[in-house]
mmCIF file of all heavy atoms in Angstrom:
data_model
loop_
_atom_site.group_PDB
_atom_site.id
_atom_site.type_symbol
_atom_site.label_atom_id
_atom_site.label_comp_id
_atom_site.label_asym_id
_atom_site.label_seq_id
_atom_site.Cartn_x
_atom_site.Cartn_y
_atom_site.Cartn_z
ATOM 1 N N ASP A 316 -61.373 -29.228 -29.004
ATOM 2 C CA ASP A 316 -61.728 -27.804 -28.990
ATOM 3 C C ASP A 316 -60.967 -27.062 -27.897
ATOM 4 O O ASP A 316 -60.524 -25.925 -28.095
ATOM 5 C CB ASP A 316 -63.231 -27.641 -28.777
ATOM 6 C CG ASP A 316 -64.035 -28.096 -29.983
ATOM 7 O OD1 ASP A 316 -63.441 -28.185 -31.076
ATOM 8 O OD2 ASP A 316 -65.243 -28.364 -29.823
ATOM 9 N N GLN A 319 -57.542 -26.384 -28.993
ATOM 10 C CA GLN A 319 -57.509 -25.271 -29.940
ATOM 11 C C GLN A 319 -57.637 -23.931 -29.221
ATOM 12 O O GLN A 319 -56.945 -22.972 -29.535
ATOM 13 C CB GLN A 319 -58.634 -25.415 -30.960
ATOM 14 C CG GLN A 319 -58.401 -26.540 -31.965
ATOM 15 C CD GLN A 319 -59.529 -26.623 -32.969
ATOM 16 O OE1 GLN A 319 -60.689 -26.319 -32.660
ATOM 17 N NE2 GLN A 319 -59.206 -27.026 -34.183
ATOM 18 N N ARG A 320 -58.548 -23.906 -28.213
ATOM 19 C CA ARG A 320 -58.759 -22.635 -27.512
ATOM 20 C C ARG A 320 -57.521 -22.223 -26.726
ATOM 21 O O ARG A 320 -57.178 -21.054 -26.656
ATOM 22 C CB ARG A 320 -59.956 -22.746 -26.568
ATOM 23 C CG ARG A 320 -61.290 -22.817 -27.249
ATOM 24 C CD ARG A 320 -62.402 -22.566 -26.256
ATOM 25 N NE ARG A 320 -62.402 -23.518 -25.172
ATOM 26 C CZ ARG A 320 -63.063 -24.671 -25.188
ATOM 27 N NH1 ARG A 320 -63.764 -25.017 -26.256
ATOM 28 N NH2 ARG A 320 -63.028 -25.489 -24.151
ATOM 29 N N LEU A 325 -52.958 -18.928 -29.370
ATOM 30 C CA LEU A 325 -53.779 -17.920 -28.711
ATOM 31 C C LEU A 325 -52.924 -17.215 -27.671
ATOM 32 O O LEU A 325 -52.654 -17.747 -26.597
ATOM 33 C CB LEU A 325 -55.007 -18.571 -28.060
ATOM 34 C CG LEU A 325 -55.946 -19.342 -28.998
ATOM 35 C CD1 LEU A 325 -57.186 -19.773 -28.256
ATOM 36 C CD2 LEU A 325 -56.305 -18.514 -30.219
ATOM 37 N N ASP A 360 -55.430 -15.456 -31.771
ATOM 38 C CA ASP A 360 -54.440 -15.611 -32.830
ATOM 39 C C ASP A 360 -54.503 -14.327 -33.657
ATOM 40 O O ASP A 360 -55.378 -14.172 -34.515
ATOM 41 C CB ASP A 360 -54.785 -16.845 -33.665
ATOM 42 C CG ASP A 360 -53.784 -17.079 -34.788
ATOM 43 O OD1 ASP A 360 -52.887 -16.234 -34.969
ATOM 44 O OD2 ASP A 360 -53.895 -18.108 -35.477
ATOM 45 N N ALA A 363 -54.814 -14.296 -37.604
ATOM 46 C CA ALA A 363 -56.100 -14.801 -38.077
ATOM 47 C C ALA A 363 -57.234 -13.844 -37.730
ATOM 48 O O ALA A 363 -58.136 -13.611 -38.550
ATOM 49 C CB ALA A 363 -56.360 -16.182 -37.469
ATOM 50 N N LEU A 364 -57.207 -13.261 -36.507
ATOM 51 C CA LEU A 364 -58.261 -12.316 -36.127
ATOM 52 C C LEU A 364 -58.267 -11.091 -37.032
ATOM 53 O O LEU A 364 -59.335 -10.571 -37.375
ATOM 54 C CB LEU A 364 -58.069 -11.892 -34.671
ATOM 55 C CG LEU A 364 -58.586 -12.839 -33.593
ATOM 56 C CD1 LEU A 364 -58.312 -12.256 -32.212
ATOM 57 C CD2 LEU A 364 -60.085 -13.093 -33.765
ATOM 58 N N VAL A 367 -60.013 -12.005 -40.196
ATOM 59 C CA VAL A 367 -61.454 -12.122 -39.963
ATOM 60 C C VAL A 367 -62.096 -10.746 -39.833
ATOM 61 O O VAL A 367 -63.143 -10.471 -40.444
ATOM 62 C CB VAL A 367 -61.716 -12.972 -38.700
ATOM 63 C CG1 VAL A 367 -63.167 -12.859 -38.269
ATOM 64 C CG2 VAL A 367 -61.358 -14.423 -38.959
ATOM 65 N N LEU A 368 -61.497 -9.857 -39.051
ATOM 66 C CA LEU A 368 -62.070 -8.518 -38.865
ATOM 67 C C LEU A 368 -62.070 -7.733 -40.171
ATOM 68 O O LEU A 368 -63.036 -7.006 -40.470
ATOM 69 C CB LEU A 368 -61.281 -7.764 -37.788
ATOM 70 C CG LEU A 368 -61.459 -8.283 -36.356
ATOM 71 C CD1 LEU A 368 -60.503 -7.572 -35.402
ATOM 72 C CD2 LEU A 368 -62.899 -8.102 -35.892
ATOM 73 N N LEU A 371 -64.956 -9.177 -42.248
ATOM 74 C CA LEU A 371 -66.262 -8.777 -41.723
ATOM 75 C C LEU A 371 -66.538 -7.298 -41.964
ATOM 76 O O LEU A 371 -67.689 -6.906 -42.247
ATOM 77 C CB LEU A 371 -66.336 -9.095 -40.230
ATOM 78 C CG LEU A 371 -66.337 -10.581 -39.863
ATOM 79 C CD1 LEU A 371 -66.355 -10.760 -38.353
ATOM 80 C CD2 LEU A 371 -67.539 -11.293 -40.494
ATOM 81 N N ARG A 394 -65.351 -13.730 -20.542
ATOM 82 C CA ARG A 394 -65.216 -13.513 -21.981
ATOM 83 C C ARG A 394 -65.016 -12.017 -22.227
ATOM 84 O O ARG A 394 -65.350 -11.165 -21.401
ATOM 85 C CB ARG A 394 -66.463 -13.981 -22.748
ATOM 86 C CG ARG A 394 -66.897 -15.390 -22.448
ATOM 87 C CD ARG A 394 -65.942 -16.405 -23.004
ATOM 88 N NE ARG A 394 -66.069 -16.560 -24.441
ATOM 89 C CZ ARG A 394 -65.234 -17.292 -25.183
ATOM 90 N NH1 ARG A 394 -64.219 -17.896 -24.611
ATOM 91 N NH2 ARG A 394 -65.420 -17.413 -26.472
ATOM 92 N N LEU A 397 -65.827 -8.523 -28.546
ATOM 93 C CA LEU A 397 -65.260 -7.612 -29.535
ATOM 94 C C LEU A 397 -66.387 -7.217 -30.482
ATOM 95 O O LEU A 397 -66.905 -8.060 -31.230
ATOM 96 C CB LEU A 397 -64.125 -8.324 -30.291
ATOM 97 C CG LEU A 397 -63.103 -7.441 -31.005
ATOM 98 C CD1 LEU A 397 -62.273 -6.673 -29.995
ATOM 99 C CD2 LEU A 397 -62.180 -8.311 -31.859
ATOM 100 N N LEU A 411 -75.506 -13.802 -41.705
ATOM 101 C CA LEU A 411 -74.409 -14.213 -40.829
ATOM 102 C C LEU A 411 -73.950 -15.633 -41.139
ATOM 103 O O LEU A 411 -72.746 -15.925 -41.135
ATOM 104 C CB LEU A 411 -74.853 -14.117 -39.368
ATOM 105 C CG LEU A 411 -74.655 -12.765 -38.677
ATOM 106 C CD1 LEU A 411 -75.197 -12.831 -37.250
ATOM 107 C CD2 LEU A 411 -73.191 -12.384 -38.650
ATOM 108 N N TRP A 414 -71.735 -15.514 -44.081
ATOM 109 C CA TRP A 414 -70.409 -14.982 -43.758
ATOM 110 C C TRP A 414 -69.571 -16.009 -42.992
ATOM 111 O O TRP A 414 -68.351 -16.056 -43.130
ATOM 112 C CB TRP A 414 -70.554 -13.720 -42.916
ATOM 113 C CG TRP A 414 -71.121 -12.548 -43.702
ATOM 114 C CD1 TRP A 414 -71.492 -12.542 -45.017
ATOM 115 C CD2 TRP A 414 -71.399 -11.245 -43.206
ATOM 116 N NE1 TRP A 414 -71.981 -11.314 -45.386
ATOM 117 C CE2 TRP A 414 -71.935 -10.488 -44.280
ATOM 118 C CE3 TRP A 414 -71.281 -10.639 -41.970
ATOM 119 C CZ2 TRP A 414 -72.324 -9.170 -44.144
ATOM 120 C CZ3 TRP A 414 -71.662 -9.308 -41.828
ATOM 121 C CH2 TRP A 414 -72.176 -8.583 -42.901
ATOM 122 N N HIS A 415 -70.208 -16.845 -42.182
ATOM 123 C CA HIS A 415 -69.479 -17.895 -41.476
ATOM 124 C C HIS A 415 -68.800 -18.853 -42.459
ATOM 125 O O HIS A 415 -67.722 -19.391 -42.161
ATOM 126 C CB HIS A 415 -70.421 -18.699 -40.567
ATOM 127 C CG HIS A 415 -70.591 -18.101 -39.206
ATOM 128 N ND1 HIS A 415 -71.376 -17.003 -38.970
ATOM 129 C CD2 HIS A 415 -70.071 -18.450 -37.989
ATOM 130 C CE1 HIS A 415 -71.347 -16.696 -37.676
ATOM 131 N NE2 HIS A 415 -70.552 -17.557 -37.053
ATOM 132 N N ARG A 416 -69.428 -19.045 -43.625
ATOM 133 C CA ARG A 416 -68.870 -19.985 -44.602
ATOM 134 C C ARG A 416 -67.881 -19.334 -45.552
ATOM 135 O O ARG A 416 -67.354 -19.991 -46.442
ATOM 136 C CB ARG A 416 -70.017 -20.632 -45.397
ATOM 137 C CG ARG A 416 -70.952 -21.475 -44.536
ATOM 138 C CD ARG A 416 -71.925 -22.269 -45.411
ATOM 139 N NE ARG A 416 -72.824 -21.382 -46.152
ATOM 140 C CZ ARG A 416 -73.991 -20.946 -45.682
ATOM 141 N NH1 ARG A 416 -74.401 -21.280 -44.461
ATOM 142 N NH2 ARG A 416 -74.762 -20.166 -46.425
ATOM 143 N N LEU A 419 -61.219 -17.703 -46.136
ATOM 144 C CA LEU A 419 -60.178 -16.686 -45.985
ATOM 145 C C LEU A 419 -58.962 -17.136 -46.781
ATOM 146 O O LEU A 419 -58.127 -17.924 -46.312
ATOM 147 C CB LEU A 419 -59.837 -16.510 -44.499
ATOM 148 C CG LEU A 419 -61.051 -16.201 -43.601
ATOM 149 C CD1 LEU A 419 -60.633 -16.217 -42.129
ATOM 150 C CD2 LEU A 419 -61.667 -14.869 -43.977
ATOM 151 N N LEU A 422 -55.128 -16.958 -45.516
ATOM 152 C CA LEU A 422 -54.626 -17.761 -44.404
ATOM 153 C C LEU A 422 -54.256 -19.156 -44.887
ATOM 154 O O LEU A 422 -54.817 -19.657 -45.867
ATOM 155 C CB LEU A 422 -55.681 -17.864 -43.299
ATOM 156 C CG LEU A 422 -55.978 -16.584 -42.519
ATOM 157 C CD1 LEU A 422 -57.063 -16.844 -41.474
ATOM 158 C CD2 LEU A 422 -54.725 -16.045 -41.853
ATOM 159 N N PRO A 426 -59.052 -21.461 -44.255
ATOM 160 C CA PRO A 426 -60.182 -21.799 -43.383
ATOM 161 C C PRO A 426 -61.333 -20.822 -43.615
ATOM 162 O O PRO A 426 -61.168 -19.746 -44.197
ATOM 163 C CB PRO A 426 -59.597 -21.643 -41.981
ATOM 164 C CG PRO A 426 -58.539 -20.607 -42.143
ATOM 165 C CD PRO A 426 -57.952 -20.833 -43.512
ATOM 166 N N THR A 427 -62.488 -21.171 -43.114
ATOM 167 C CA THR A 427 -63.627 -20.263 -43.180
ATOM 168 C C THR A 427 -63.618 -19.351 -41.953
ATOM 169 O O THR A 427 -62.910 -19.594 -40.973
ATOM 170 C CB THR A 427 -64.945 -21.045 -43.217
ATOM 171 O OG1 THR A 427 -65.086 -21.760 -41.988
ATOM 172 C CG2 THR A 427 -64.967 -22.019 -44.390
ATOM 173 N N VAL A 428 -64.456 -18.309 -42.015
ATOM 174 C CA VAL A 428 -64.592 -17.420 -40.865
ATOM 175 C C VAL A 428 -65.071 -18.206 -39.648
ATOM 176 O O VAL A 428 -64.575 -18.034 -38.529
ATOM 177 C CB VAL A 428 -65.561 -16.271 -41.189
ATOM 178 C CG1 VAL A 428 -65.892 -15.467 -39.936
ATOM 179 C CG2 VAL A 428 -64.968 -15.365 -42.254
ATOM 180 N N GLY A 429 -66.018 -19.104 -39.869
ATOM 181 C CA GLY A 429 -66.532 -19.897 -38.760
ATOM 182 C C GLY A 429 -65.465 -20.786 -38.136
ATOM 183 O O GLY A 429 -65.434 -20.965 -36.911
ATOM 184 N N GLU A 430 -64.578 -21.357 -38.962
ATOM 185 C CA GLU A 430 -63.526 -22.219 -38.425
ATOM 186 C C GLU A 430 -62.539 -21.431 -37.572
ATOM 187 O O GLU A 430 -62.081 -21.912 -36.529
ATOM 188 C CB GLU A 430 -62.815 -22.936 -39.568
ATOM 189 C CG GLU A 430 -63.667 -24.000 -40.237
ATOM 190 C CD GLU A 430 -63.031 -24.560 -41.494
ATOM 191 O OE1 GLU A 430 -62.094 -23.912 -42.032
ATOM 192 O OE2 GLU A 430 -63.470 -25.628 -41.944
ATOM 193 N N VAL A 431 -62.184 -20.241 -37.987
ATOM 194 C CA VAL A 431 -61.292 -19.407 -37.176
ATOM 195 C C VAL A 431 -61.970 -19.026 -35.863
ATOM 196 O O VAL A 431 -61.344 -19.030 -34.798
ATOM 197 C CB VAL A 431 -60.860 -18.157 -37.958
ATOM 198 C CG1 VAL A 431 -60.071 -17.208 -37.060
ATOM 199 C CG2 VAL A 431 -60.028 -18.535 -39.166
ATOM 200 N N LEU A 432 -63.277 -18.721 -35.924
ATOM 201 C CA LEU A 432 -63.991 -18.381 -34.695
ATOM 202 C C LEU A 432 -64.059 -19.584 -33.753
ATOM 203 O O LEU A 432 -63.915 -19.441 -32.533
ATOM 204 C CB LEU A 432 -65.389 -17.871 -35.019
ATOM 205 C CG LEU A 432 -65.459 -16.523 -35.750
ATOM 206 C CD1 LEU A 432 -66.905 -16.159 -36.061
ATOM 207 C CD2 LEU A 432 -64.797 -15.426 -34.939
ATOM 208 N N ARG A 433 -64.286 -20.786 -34.318
ATOM 209 C CA ARG A 433 -64.314 -21.973 -33.462
ATOM 210 C C ARG A 433 -62.957 -22.244 -32.824
ATOM 211 O O ARG A 433 -62.879 -22.772 -31.704
ATOM 212 C CB ARG A 433 -64.782 -23.184 -34.277
ATOM 213 C CG ARG A 433 -66.285 -23.227 -34.508
ATOM 214 C CD ARG A 433 -66.721 -24.581 -35.007
ATOM 215 N NE ARG A 433 -66.159 -24.889 -36.325
ATOM 216 C CZ ARG A 433 -66.712 -24.513 -37.475
ATOM 217 N NH1 ARG A 433 -67.832 -23.804 -37.476
ATOM 218 N NH2 ARG A 433 -66.150 -24.831 -38.619
ATOM 219 N N GLN A 434 -61.887 -21.900 -33.527
ATOM 220 C CA GLN A 434 -60.550 -22.030 -32.930
ATOM 221 C C GLN A 434 -60.449 -21.186 -31.665
ATOM 222 O O GLN A 434 -59.735 -21.544 -30.721
ATOM 223 C CB GLN A 434 -59.474 -21.596 -33.930
ATOM 224 C CG GLN A 434 -58.061 -21.639 -33.353
ATOM 225 C CD GLN A 434 -57.065 -20.871 -34.197
ATOM 226 O OE1 GLN A 434 -57.402 -20.354 -35.259
ATOM 227 N NE2 GLN A 434 -55.836 -20.781 -33.730
ATOM 228 N N HIS A 435 -61.152 -20.074 -31.621
ATOM 229 C CA HIS A 435 -61.166 -19.193 -30.455
ATOM 230 C C HIS A 435 -62.336 -19.499 -29.517
ATOM 231 O O HIS A 435 -62.626 -18.688 -28.628
ATOM 232 C CB HIS A 435 -61.259 -17.726 -30.904
ATOM 233 C CG HIS A 435 -60.037 -17.223 -31.622
ATOM 234 N ND1 HIS A 435 -59.759 -17.536 -32.924
ATOM 235 C CD2 HIS A 435 -59.020 -16.429 -31.196
ATOM 236 C CE1 HIS A 435 -58.634 -16.955 -33.295
ATOM 237 N NE2 HIS A 435 -58.161 -16.277 -32.268
ATOM 238 N N ASP A 436 -63.002 -20.664 -29.748
ATOM 239 C CA ASP A 436 -64.185 -21.013 -28.959
ATOM 240 C C ASP A 436 -65.205 -19.872 -29.025
ATOM 241 O O ASP A 436 -65.783 -19.446 -28.023
ATOM 242 C CB ASP A 436 -63.804 -21.294 -27.497
ATOM 243 C CG ASP A 436 -64.972 -21.888 -26.720
ATOM 244 O OD1 ASP A 436 -65.841 -22.526 -27.343
ATOM 245 O OD2 ASP A 436 -65.021 -21.700 -25.488
ATOM 246 N N SER A 437 -65.400 -19.366 -30.242
ATOM 247 C CA SER A 437 -66.204 -18.163 -30.423
ATOM 248 C C SER A 437 -67.242 -18.382 -31.514
ATOM 249 O O SER A 437 -67.288 -19.426 -32.181
ATOM 250 C CB SER A 437 -65.289 -16.978 -30.769
ATOM 251 O OG SER A 437 -66.045 -15.796 -30.945
ATOM 252 N N ASP A 438 -68.048 -17.400 -31.693
ATOM 253 C CA ASP A 438 -69.082 -17.365 -32.730
ATOM 254 C C ASP A 438 -69.277 -15.896 -33.078
ATOM 255 O O ASP A 438 -68.548 -15.030 -32.577
ATOM 256 C CB ASP A 438 -70.368 -18.014 -32.218
ATOM 257 C CG ASP A 438 -71.283 -18.433 -33.352
ATOM 258 O OD1 ASP A 438 -70.987 -18.072 -34.505
ATOM 259 O OD2 ASP A 438 -72.285 -19.112 -33.081
ATOM 260 N N ALA A 439 -70.237 -15.600 -33.879
ATOM 261 C CA ALA A 439 -70.560 -14.210 -34.202
ATOM 262 C C ALA A 439 -72.067 -14.086 -34.309
ATOM 263 O O ALA A 439 -72.726 -14.916 -34.946
ATOM 264 C CB ALA A 439 -69.890 -13.786 -35.505
ATOM 265 N N TRP A 440 -72.605 -13.066 -33.667
ATOM 266 C CA TRP A 440 -74.029 -12.800 -33.786
ATOM 267 C C TRP A 440 -74.243 -11.292 -33.792
ATOM 268 O O TRP A 440 -73.351 -10.513 -33.447
ATOM 269 C CB TRP A 440 -74.827 -13.469 -32.675
ATOM 270 C CG TRP A 440 -74.525 -13.008 -31.279
ATOM 271 C CD1 TRP A 440 -75.017 -11.906 -30.651
ATOM 272 C CD2 TRP A 440 -73.639 -13.634 -30.344
ATOM 273 N NE1 TRP A 440 -74.512 -11.797 -29.388
ATOM 274 C CE2 TRP A 440 -73.669 -12.856 -29.167
ATOM 275 C CE3 TRP A 440 -72.834 -14.770 -30.381
ATOM 276 C CZ2 TRP A 440 -72.913 -13.173 -28.047
ATOM 277 C CZ3 TRP A 440 -72.102 -15.105 -29.271
ATOM 278 C CH2 TRP A 440 -72.137 -14.310 -28.114
ATOM 279 N N LEU A 452 -72.151 -6.157 -34.395
ATOM 280 C CA LEU A 452 -71.746 -7.529 -34.659
ATOM 281 C C LEU A 452 -70.783 -7.920 -33.549
ATOM 282 O O LEU A 452 -69.738 -7.285 -33.372
ATOM 283 C CB LEU A 452 -71.063 -7.632 -36.025
ATOM 284 C CG LEU A 452 -70.537 -9.013 -36.418
ATOM 285 C CD1 LEU A 452 -71.647 -10.034 -36.486
ATOM 286 C CD2 LEU A 452 -69.794 -8.936 -37.757
ATOM 287 N N ARG A 453 -71.114 -8.969 -32.808
ATOM 288 C CA ARG A 453 -70.371 -9.309 -31.586
ATOM 289 C C ARG A 453 -69.586 -10.606 -31.773
ATOM 290 O O ARG A 453 -70.118 -11.615 -32.224
ATOM 291 C CB ARG A 453 -71.321 -9.410 -30.413
ATOM 292 C CG ARG A 453 -70.735 -9.986 -29.147
ATOM 293 C CD ARG A 453 -71.596 -9.620 -27.958
ATOM 294 N NE ARG A 453 -71.483 -8.195 -27.634
ATOM 295 C CZ ARG A 453 -72.134 -7.606 -26.628
ATOM 296 N NH1 ARG A 453 -72.946 -8.324 -25.856
ATOM 297 N NH2 ARG A 453 -71.984 -6.323 -26.392
ATOM 298 N N LEU A 454 -68.302 -10.557 -31.358
ATOM 299 C CA LEU A 454 -67.436 -11.727 -31.370
ATOM 300 C C LEU A 454 -66.930 -11.963 -29.948
ATOM 301 O O LEU A 454 -66.100 -11.200 -29.449
ATOM 302 C CB LEU A 454 -66.223 -11.526 -32.297
ATOM 303 C CG LEU A 454 -66.412 -11.687 -33.804
ATOM 304 C CD1 LEU A 454 -67.276 -10.566 -34.368
ATOM 305 C CD2 LEU A 454 -65.052 -11.682 -34.493
ATOM 306 N N PRO A 455 -67.408 -12.996 -29.234
ATOM 307 C CA PRO A 455 -66.869 -13.282 -27.894
ATOM 308 C C PRO A 455 -65.516 -13.993 -28.010
ATOM 309 O O PRO A 455 -65.360 -14.944 -28.771
ATOM 310 C CB PRO A 455 -67.933 -14.197 -27.286
ATOM 311 C CG PRO A 455 -68.572 -14.860 -28.452
ATOM 312 C CD PRO A 455 -68.513 -13.892 -29.602
ATOM 313 N N LEU A 456 -64.550 -13.539 -27.228
ATOM 314 C CA LEU A 456 -63.194 -14.093 -27.272
ATOM 315 C C LEU A 456 -62.735 -14.422 -25.859
ATOM 316 O O LEU A 456 -63.228 -13.845 -24.884
ATOM 317 C CB LEU A 456 -62.232 -13.093 -27.917
ATOM 318 C CG LEU A 456 -62.502 -12.778 -29.391
ATOM 319 C CD1 LEU A 456 -61.656 -11.601 -29.842
ATOM 320 C CD2 LEU A 456 -62.233 -13.992 -30.261
ATOM 321 N N PRO A 457 -61.767 -15.345 -25.713
ATOM 322 C CA PRO A 457 -61.283 -15.690 -24.367
ATOM 323 C C PRO A 457 -60.690 -14.478 -23.661
ATOM 324 O O PRO A 457 -59.922 -13.705 -24.248
ATOM 325 C CB PRO A 457 -60.216 -16.761 -24.632
ATOM 326 C CG PRO A 457 -60.542 -17.309 -25.982
ATOM 327 C CD PRO A 457 -61.142 -16.173 -26.757
#
Side-chain angles (χ1 to χ4, degrees):
D316 290 341
Q319 288 181 328
R320 289 195 301 270
L325 301 187
D360 180 355
L364 279 180
V367 168
L368 290 173
L371 293 178
R394 308 290 285 172
L397 201 68
L411 272 178
W414 290 0
H415 273 76
R416 297 189 295 271
L419 306 173
L422 291 179
T427 64
V428 171
E430 289 171 343
V431 173
L432 293 178
R433 282 194 296 274
Q434 177 195 356
H435 292 77
D436 190 26
S437 180
D438 200 351
W440 63 82
L452 178 61
R453 170 161 289 180
L454 281 68
L456 295 170

